[in-house]
Amino acid sequence: MYQLSSDSEFAFILAEMLSLSNNFGANTGEILRAASQIKPSDFESWHREFKFLADGIHDKAVAINATRFPVSAREAYFRSASYYRAADFFLHGNTSDTRIYSLWNSALSDFDKAIELLPTVARRANVSAHNFTVPIIFYKPQESSNPHSTQELDDKGYGSRKLPTVLVGNGYDGSQEELYHSVGRSILDRGWNFVTYEGPGQPTVLRQQQLGFIPDWWDVVTPVMDYLAKRPDVDMRRVALVGISFGGTLAPRAASREHRLSAVLAINGLTSLFASLEKQFPPKLIDLFNSGNKTAFHHIVLSIMESSSYPTQFRWIIGQSLFAFNTRSPFEWFTRLSKFVADGPLLRNITCPTFVASGENDSSAPGQPEEMAELLGDKCTYNLFKTDLGAGEHCQLGAEAQVAQVALDWLGDIWDGVKTPRSMTGRVY
Ligand SMILES: *[C@@H]1O[C@H](CO)[C@@H](O)[C@H](O)[C@H]1NC(C)=O
Ligand SMILES: *[C@@H]1O[C@H](CO)[C@@H](O)[C@H](O)[C@H]1NC(C)=O
Ligand SMILES: *[C@@H]1O[C@H](CO)[C@@H](O)[C@H](O)[C@H]1NC(C)=O
Ligand SMILES: *[C@@H]1O[C@H](CO)[C@@H](O)[C@H](O)[C@H]1NC(C)=O
Ligand SMILES: *[C@@H]1O[C@H](CO)[C@@H](O)[C@H](O)[C@H]1NC(C)=O
Ligand SMILES: *[C@@H]1O[C@H](CO)[C@@H](O)[C@H](O)[C@H]1NC(C)=O
């Protein structure tokens, strides 16, 4: 992929920001301008440029009379929300930094202003789980996008016709809000309900409930399924779960115990983030972890995070991980992360059809989507997304329409009862 920064981690996140332009979450010129000002490995310069952009677009949004010009206001608020999230992205190394909270509040507030102005219904709800709350956003498709629509919407905008529903969860660092721009509109355009959620470790739950990642992800998804089952507008025979990035482990984990799902999609398949980090981190560090010397491991990991001479990728993932696992101990993070696996015994417990995506040039966990597909066997459809068509990155970043076409057409076939050949070799839809 063409790199927008000589810092490969910055380049990746810039590409992610740029990709939001495909569905109203950013504008290319705005991102390219920010990219031109950001200094490699300088986290403050990253923050400064995105905060500048966020404030500038936010001010424009506020100045619009949203009653008269709802489209203009909505588009601006969606972008300022994205840029506030971006401004926060590299700040997590210091969890006392109050900007982590203020920027997030700005992002949520602008996003909520934007979804209020959608022509279709989008509502937040808080679902009670065992000892935490799962925030969700429920979006309904435009009536005209479903050719079989007969029923009128009631005055609250809630039609009672039961529709197929796609529940989507993000990964290690992403928000539920950005999912509207990456996959949400593609799902809604197909006439299906689109629902997002966040669990412990994910941005809003982490900030508002101080809860780090938990491996028992069914404890997050099952309460959401109970909630969906009570709604008059969800066809419970047609509910699919999609996991993006680290969600490629979380969603299959949830599906191993939540059997009301009619399909689960891992984009991309991830059997163990721990195993892939073990391969990417300096071997000396891993030896130290395995030796059980917590103090020495602690010091070396924190020294990597705090030194700008180490690659941004390592510094960022350490800060992000301690933040998302809600711990100050790198040893505890590593130990807990090792429990997040999608191995043979777990995958065997999945009873529905599964879709596993792989990016030809996804260097985050090479070989793991293929391993997952192999372990799932007959109940898996595997698709390799190609670099030469621009879809080879992690989660097919920037090729959102290609993922939507392949994954959602597969889902349509499952729901319509069309038999699809299952293939390990990359069926082209
Ligand atoms: C916005 O437009 C509406 C409808 O024309 C009008 O009633 C309202 O006064 C305007 N608000 C502002 C702040 O100008
Ligand atoms: C972390 O952030 C707090 C609050 O902004 C600040 O006082 C402190 O100096 C920061 N620590 C480091 C190591 O930068
Ligand atoms: C929630 O409950 C689980 C299982 O009972 C327990 O392990 C966990 O510590 C609890 N978390 C909180 C924040 O109370
Ligand atoms: C842990 O590592 C440190 C630094 O290498 C060393 O000084 C210390 O003796 C080790 N502790 C144990 C229990 O091995
Ligand atoms: C598979 O499901 C059974 C029955 O619910 C459960 O006891 C077992 O622990 C599950 N295995 C894994 C690896 O999750
Ligand atoms: C991307 O994938 C192609 C085809 O597999 C390979 O030749 C190339 O080396 C890869 N590039 C990177 C940067 O991984």
Short mmCIF file of all heavy atoms in Angstrom, two decimals, residues 251-289:
data_model
loop_
_atom_site.label_atom_id
_atom_site.label_comp_id
_atom_site.label_asym_id
_atom_site.label_seq_id
_atom_site.Cartn_x
_atom_site.Cartn_y
_atom_site.Cartn_z
N ALA A 251 -15.36 -12.86 18.14
CA ALA A 251 -16.65 -13.33 17.60
C ALA A 251 -16.73 -14.86 17.57
O ALA A 251 -17.72 -15.42 18.05
CB ALA A 251 -16.91 -12.73 16.22
N PRO A 252 -15.71 -15.56 17.04
CA PRO A 252 -15.78 -17.03 17.13
C PRO A 252 -15.84 -17.53 18.58
O PRO A 252 -16.54 -18.50 18.86
CB PRO A 252 -14.47 -17.49 16.46
CG PRO A 252 -14.09 -16.36 15.56
CD PRO A 252 -14.56 -15.12 16.25
N ARG A 253 -15.16 -16.85 19.49
CA ARG A 253 -15.24 -17.27 20.89
C ARG A 253 -16.69 -17.16 21.38
O ARG A 253 -17.21 -18.07 22.01
CB ARG A 253 -14.31 -16.44 21.80
CG ARG A 253 -12.83 -16.80 21.65
CD ARG A 253 -11.94 -16.11 22.69
NE ARG A 253 -12.21 -16.54 24.05
CZ ARG A 253 -11.77 -17.67 24.61
NH1 ARG A 253 -10.99 -18.49 23.91
NH2 ARG A 253 -12.09 -17.98 25.85
N ALA A 254 -17.34 -16.04 21.07
CA ALA A 254 -18.73 -15.87 21.49
C ALA A 254 -19.62 -16.94 20.84
O ALA A 254 -20.47 -17.54 21.49
CB ALA A 254 -19.23 -14.48 21.11
N ALA A 255 -19.40 -17.19 19.54
CA ALA A 255 -20.24 -18.14 18.81
C ALA A 255 -20.06 -19.57 19.30
O ALA A 255 -20.92 -20.43 19.06
CB ALA A 255 -19.94 -18.07 17.31
N SER A 256 -18.97 -19.84 20.02
CA SER A 256 -18.77 -21.20 20.52
C SER A 256 -19.79 -21.55 21.61
O SER A 256 -20.01 -22.72 21.90
CB SER A 256 -17.33 -21.38 21.03
OG SER A 256 -17.15 -20.70 22.27
N ARG A 257 -20.40 -20.53 22.21
CA ARG A 257 -21.41 -20.79 23.25
C ARG A 257 -22.76 -20.17 22.94
O ARG A 257 -23.73 -20.45 23.65
CB ARG A 257 -20.94 -20.23 24.59
CG ARG A 257 -19.55 -20.65 24.97
CD ARG A 257 -19.51 -21.45 26.25
NE ARG A 257 -18.13 -21.81 26.51
CZ ARG A 257 -17.64 -22.06 27.70
NH1 ARG A 257 -18.41 -21.97 28.77
NH2 ARG A 257 -16.37 -22.40 27.84
N GLU A 258 -22.83 -19.27 21.97
CA GLU A 258 -24.09 -18.59 21.65
C GLU A 258 -24.62 -19.22 20.36
O GLU A 258 -24.16 -18.88 19.27
CB GLU A 258 -23.84 -17.08 21.49
CG GLU A 258 -25.03 -16.29 21.03
CD GLU A 258 -26.31 -16.60 21.77
OE1 GLU A 258 -26.44 -16.20 22.94
OE2 GLU A 258 -27.21 -17.26 21.18
N HIS A 259 -25.59 -20.13 20.52
CA HIS A 259 -25.98 -20.93 19.36
C HIS A 259 -27.21 -20.40 18.63
O HIS A 259 -27.73 -21.07 17.74
CB HIS A 259 -26.16 -22.39 19.80
CG HIS A 259 -24.89 -22.98 20.34
ND1 HIS A 259 -23.74 -23.11 19.57
CD2 HIS A 259 -24.56 -23.42 21.57
CE1 HIS A 259 -22.76 -23.61 20.32
NE2 HIS A 259 -23.23 -23.81 21.54
N ARG A 260 -27.68 -19.21 18.99
CA ARG A 260 -28.79 -18.63 18.23
C ARG A 260 -28.30 -17.92 16.96
O ARG A 260 -29.11 -17.48 16.15
CB ARG A 260 -29.57 -17.64 19.11
CG ARG A 260 -30.42 -18.32 20.18
CD ARG A 260 -30.99 -17.32 21.17
NE ARG A 260 -29.93 -16.75 22.02
CZ ARG A 260 -30.14 -15.87 23.00
NH1 ARG A 260 -31.37 -15.43 23.24
NH2 ARG A 260 -29.14 -15.42 23.73
N LEU A 261 -26.99 -17.78 16.80
CA LEU A 261 -26.45 -17.11 15.61
C LEU A 261 -26.63 -18.02 14.39
O LEU A 261 -26.42 -19.23 14.49
CB LEU A 261 -24.97 -16.81 15.80
CG LEU A 261 -24.63 -15.81 16.90
CD1 LEU A 261 -23.14 -15.88 17.26
CD2 LEU A 261 -25.01 -14.40 16.45
N SER A 262 -27.00 -17.41 13.25
CA SER A 262 -27.11 -18.24 12.04
C SER A 262 -25.83 -18.20 11.21
O SER A 262 -25.69 -18.97 10.27
CB SER A 262 -28.32 -17.82 11.20
OG SER A 262 -28.24 -16.45 10.90
N ALA A 263 -24.91 -17.31 11.55
CA ALA A 263 -23.61 -17.26 10.87
C ALA A 263 -22.65 -16.42 11.69
O ALA A 263 -23.06 -15.52 12.41
CB ALA A 263 -23.75 -16.65 9.47
N VAL A 264 -21.36 -16.73 11.57
CA VAL A 264 -20.34 -15.90 12.21
C VAL A 264 -19.24 -15.61 11.19
O VAL A 264 -18.85 -16.50 10.41
CB VAL A 264 -19.80 -16.51 13.53
CG1 VAL A 264 -19.14 -17.85 13.31
CG2 VAL A 264 -18.84 -15.56 14.23
N LEU A 265 -18.79 -14.35 11.16
CA LEU A 265 -17.79 -13.93 10.18
C LEU A 265 -16.58 -13.33 10.89
O LEU A 265 -16.74 -12.42 11.72
CB LEU A 265 -18.38 -12.88 9.21
CG LEU A 265 -19.58 -13.34 8.36
CD1 LEU A 265 -20.90 -13.13 9.09
CD2 LEU A 265 -19.60 -12.62 7.02
N ALA A 266 -15.40 -13.85 10.59
CA ALA A 266 -14.16 -13.35 11.19
C ALA A 266 -13.37 -12.61 10.12
O ALA A 266 -12.88 -13.20 9.15
CB ALA A 266 -13.33 -14.51 11.74
N ILE A 267 -13.25 -11.28 10.31
CA ILE A 267 -12.60 -10.44 9.29
C ILE A 267 -11.47 -9.66 9.96
O ILE A 267 -11.71 -8.61 10.52
CB ILE A 267 -13.65 -9.50 8.65
CG1 ILE A 267 -14.71 -10.36 7.95
CG2 ILE A 267 -12.99 -8.52 7.69
CD1 ILE A 267 -15.89 -9.58 7.45
N ASN A 268 -10.27 -10.22 10.03
CA ASN A 268 -9.85 -11.49 9.45
C ASN A 268 -9.78 -12.56 10.53
O ASN A 268 -9.76 -12.23 11.72
CB ASN A 268 -8.46 -11.34 8.82
CG ASN A 268 -8.46 -10.39 7.63
OD1 ASN A 268 -9.49 -10.01 7.10
ND2 ASN A 268 -7.29 -10.00 7.23
N GLY A 269 -9.66 -13.80 10.12
CA GLY A 269 -9.52 -14.88 11.08
C GLY A 269 -8.26 -14.69 11.92
O GLY A 269 -7.20 -14.34 11.41
N LEU A 270 -8.41 -14.88 13.25
CA LEU A 270 -7.27 -14.68 14.17
C LEU A 270 -7.38 -15.76 15.25
O LEU A 270 -8.30 -15.74 16.05
CB LEU A 270 -7.36 -13.27 14.78
CG LEU A 270 -6.26 -12.82 15.73
CD1 LEU A 270 -4.94 -12.64 15.00
CD2 LEU A 270 -6.65 -11.50 16.40
N THR A 271 -6.43 -16.70 15.27
CA THR A 271 -6.52 -17.78 16.25
C THR A 271 -5.87 -17.40 17.58
O THR A 271 -6.27 -17.87 18.62
CB THR A 271 -5.88 -19.08 15.72
OG1 THR A 271 -4.56 -18.77 15.25
CG2 THR A 271 -6.70 -19.67 14.58
N SER A 272 -4.82 -16.53 17.53
CA SER A 272 -4.18 -16.11 18.78
C SER A 272 -3.32 -14.87 18.55
O SER A 272 -2.26 -14.95 17.92
CB SER A 272 -3.31 -17.24 19.33
OG SER A 272 -2.47 -16.75 20.35
N LEU A 273 -3.79 -13.73 19.07
CA LEU A 273 -2.98 -12.51 18.95
C LEU A 273 -1.68 -12.68 19.73
O LEU A 273 -0.62 -12.22 19.32
CB LEU A 273 -3.78 -11.31 19.48
CG LEU A 273 -3.05 -9.97 19.46
CD1 LEU A 273 -2.65 -9.57 18.04
CD2 LEU A 273 -3.92 -8.87 20.08
N PHE A 274 -1.78 -13.36 20.87
CA PHE A 274 -0.61 -13.62 21.71
C PHE A 274 0.49 -14.33 20.89
O PHE A 274 1.64 -13.92 20.89
CB PHE A 274 -1.03 -14.47 22.91
CG PHE A 274 0.10 -14.85 23.81
CD1 PHE A 274 0.63 -13.94 24.71
CD2 PHE A 274 0.65 -16.13 23.77
CE1 PHE A 274 1.68 -14.29 25.55
CE2 PHE A 274 1.70 -16.49 24.60
CZ PHE A 274 2.21 -15.57 25.49
N ALA A 275 0.08 -15.38 20.17
CA ALA A 275 1.06 -16.13 19.38
C ALA A 275 1.72 -15.24 18.33
O ALA A 275 2.92 -15.37 18.06
CB ALA A 275 0.40 -17.34 18.74
N SER A 276 0.92 -14.33 17.72
CA SER A 276 1.54 -13.51 16.69
C SER A 276 2.45 -12.44 17.30
O SER A 276 3.49 -12.12 16.72
CB SER A 276 0.48 -12.91 15.76
OG SER A 276 -0.13 -11.83 16.37
N LEU A 277 2.09 -11.93 18.48
CA LEU A 277 2.99 -10.96 19.14
C LEU A 277 4.28 -11.65 19.59
O LEU A 277 5.36 -11.06 19.52
CB LEU A 277 2.31 -10.31 20.35
CG LEU A 277 1.19 -9.32 20.03
CD1 LEU A 277 0.66 -8.69 21.32
CD2 LEU A 277 1.66 -8.22 19.08
N GLU A 278 4.15 -12.88 20.04
CA GLU A 278 5.35 -13.65 20.45
C GLU A 278 6.37 -13.70 19.32
O GLU A 278 7.56 -13.67 19.54
CB GLU A 278 4.95 -15.08 20.80
CG GLU A 278 4.78 -15.34 22.28
CD GLU A 278 4.66 -16.83 22.57
OE1 GLU A 278 3.94 -17.53 21.81
OE2 GLU A 278 5.27 -17.28 23.55
N LYS A 279 5.84 -13.79 18.07
CA LYS A 279 6.74 -13.87 16.91
C LYS A 279 7.32 -12.51 16.54
O LYS A 279 8.40 -12.42 15.98
CB LYS A 279 5.99 -14.45 15.71
CG LYS A 279 5.65 -15.92 15.87
CD LYS A 279 5.39 -16.58 14.52
CE LYS A 279 4.96 -18.02 14.69
NZ LYS A 279 3.52 -18.23 14.48
N GLN A 280 6.55 -11.43 16.84
CA GLN A 280 7.00 -10.10 16.40
C GLN A 280 7.89 -9.40 17.42
O GLN A 280 8.71 -8.57 17.06
CB GLN A 280 5.79 -9.22 16.10
CG GLN A 280 5.01 -9.68 14.87
CD GLN A 280 3.67 -8.97 14.72
OE1 GLN A 280 3.58 -7.77 14.87
NE2 GLN A 280 2.63 -9.73 14.44
N PHE A 281 7.72 -9.72 18.69
CA PHE A 281 8.52 -9.07 19.74
C PHE A 281 9.94 -9.65 19.74
O PHE A 281 10.15 -10.78 19.32
CB PHE A 281 7.86 -9.26 21.11
CG PHE A 281 6.81 -8.22 21.43
CD1 PHE A 281 5.96 -7.75 20.45
CD2 PHE A 281 6.68 -7.71 22.71
CE1 PHE A 281 5.00 -6.79 20.73
CE2 PHE A 281 5.71 -6.75 23.00
CZ PHE A 281 4.88 -6.28 22.01
N PRO A 282 10.92 -8.86 20.23
CA PRO A 282 12.29 -9.38 20.30
C PRO A 282 12.33 -10.69 21.11
O PRO A 282 11.73 -10.73 22.19
CB PRO A 282 13.05 -8.27 21.04
CG PRO A 282 12.22 -7.05 20.90
CD PRO A 282 10.81 -7.50 20.76
N PRO A 283 12.99 -11.72 20.59
CA PRO A 283 13.02 -13.03 21.27
C PRO A 283 13.49 -12.93 22.73
O PRO A 283 12.98 -13.64 23.59
CB PRO A 283 14.01 -13.85 20.44
CG PRO A 283 14.06 -13.19 19.12
CD PRO A 283 13.73 -11.75 19.32
N LYS A 284 14.41 -12.00 23.01
CA LYS A 284 14.91 -11.83 24.38
C LYS A 284 13.79 -11.49 25.35
O LYS A 284 13.77 -11.92 26.50
CB LYS A 284 15.95 -10.69 24.43
CG LYS A 284 17.37 -11.17 24.29
CD LYS A 284 18.32 -10.04 24.70
CE LYS A 284 19.61 -10.16 23.91
NZ LYS A 284 20.24 -8.89 23.63
N LEU A 285 12.87 -10.68 24.87
CA LEU A 285 11.75 -10.24 25.68
C LEU A 285 10.81 -11.42 25.99
O LEU A 285 10.33 -11.58 27.11
CB LEU A 285 10.99 -9.16 24.90
CG LEU A 285 9.95 -8.36 25.64
CD1 LEU A 285 10.64 -7.41 26.60
CD2 LEU A 285 9.12 -7.56 24.66
N ILE A 286 10.60 -12.24 24.98
CA ILE A 286 9.72 -13.39 25.14
C ILE A 286 10.35 -14.40 26.11
O ILE A 286 9.68 -14.98 26.96
CB ILE A 286 9.42 -14.05 23.76
CG1 ILE A 286 8.76 -13.01 22.82
CG2 ILE A 286 8.55 -15.28 23.91
CD1 ILE A 286 7.47 -12.39 23.33
N ASP A 287 11.68 -14.56 25.99
CA ASP A 287 12.39 -15.46 26.91
C ASP A 287 12.21 -14.99 28.35
O ASP A 287 11.99 -15.79 29.26
CB ASP A 287 13.90 -15.51 26.60
CG ASP A 287 14.17 -16.23 25.28
OD1 ASP A 287 13.23 -16.90 24.78
OD2 ASP A 287 15.28 -16.11 24.74
N LEU A 288 12.27 -13.67 28.52
CA LEU A 288 12.12 -13.10 29.85
C LEU A 288 10.72 -13.37 30.39
O LEU A 288 10.53 -13.70 31.57
CB LEU A 288 12.37 -11.59 29.76
CG LEU A 288 12.87 -10.87 31.00
CD1 LEU A 288 14.10 -11.54 31.57
CD2 LEU A 288 13.20 -9.42 30.62
N PHE A 289 9.73 -13.22 29.52
CA PHE A 289 8.34 -13.50 29.93
C PHE A 289 8.21 -14.96 30.35
O PHE A 289 7.68 -15.28 31.41
CB PHE A 289 7.37 -13.19 28.79
CG PHE A 289 5.96 -13.62 29.09
CD1 PHE A 289 5.18 -12.92 30.01
CD2 PHE A 289 5.40 -14.74 28.48
CE1 PHE A 289 3.89 -13.32 30.32
CE2 PHE A 289 4.11 -15.15 28.78
CZ PHE A 289 3.36 -14.43 29.70
#
